[in-house]
Amino acid sequence: MSVDSDAAAATETTDAEALARQLGEAITELPEYQAFEEAKRNVETSEEVQERIGEFEEIRQEFMLARQTGDATQEDVERVQEAQAHLHDHPAMAEYLDAQDAVQETFESLNDVISEPLEVDFVGESGACCQD
């Protein structure tokens, strides 16, 4: 490889990185992303939601231990489901989950646009080592 081809390759990588940074910055300006960040802050600062998260995690951990030892019952499954429903019923958590879905859809659309000229799933191929 010549010095000129090394410099061209470095410039192309730099251009791609600059475009990736611009994309990241543009994403932060999207209404879906801003709504997600606001909803996330609301969940993180809500004592009631944090308490419900703690309760859910405790019940889920107990269930996981019972499942590992073969002691899990249908009642245990229902208890986890009820705790999850109680968590998701909180308005701040429901808003967060809706915002998360919306931003995920946006990311999937952007992935489709990026993937089209590559003829591969950009995110799927770049983040996984062992796909079949």
Side-chain angles (χ1 to χ4, degrees):
M1 209 180 227
S2 73
V3 173
D4 289 338
S5 62
D6 286 347
T11 300
E12 289 171 6
T13 299
T14 303
D15 290 346
E17 289 172 355
L19 287 171
R21 278 190 190 82
Q22 288 175 357
L23 176 59
E25 290 169 8
I27 288 170
T28 66
E29 300 299 321
L30 293 173
E32 299 90 346
Y33 184 81
Q34 291 178 352
F36 169 74
E37 285 295 320
E38 182 179 344
K40 181 179 169 190
R41 278 190 300 277
N42 290 340
V43 163
E44 291 171 344
T45 59
S46 169
E47 288 182 32
E48 186 176 352
V49 173
Q50 291 303 308
E51 186 176 304
R52 287 186 188 191
I53 290 171
E55 290 169 0
F56 170 72
E57 287 298 323
E58 184 177 319
I59 291 168
R60 188 176 68 83
Q61 280 293 83
E62 290 171 5
F63 171 73
M64 298 296 283
L65 288 172
R67 193 172 75 176
Q68 287 176 349
T69 61
D71 296 330
T73 65
Q74 183 60 34
E75 288 176 359
D76 294 330
V77 171
E78 291 169 5
R79 187 170 175 236
V80 171
Q81 291 171 338
E82 288 171 7
Q84 184 177 37
H86 182 64
L87 172 59
H88 290 187
D89 284 344
H90 191 283
M93 191 66 179
E95 181 182 334
Y96 170 77
L97 294 170
D98 289 344
Q100 186 179 43
D101 287 344
V103 81
Q104 182 65 37
E105 287 178 25
T106 299
F107 288 164
E108 288 172 8
S109 294
L110 291 171
N111 180 51
D112 290 344
V113 172
I114 294 168
S115 296
E116 188 176 333
L118 301 174
E119 298 180 358
V120 297
D121 179 0
F122 177 73
V123 172
E125 291 297 320
S126 65
C129 70
C130 308
Q131 292 187 358
D132 292 330

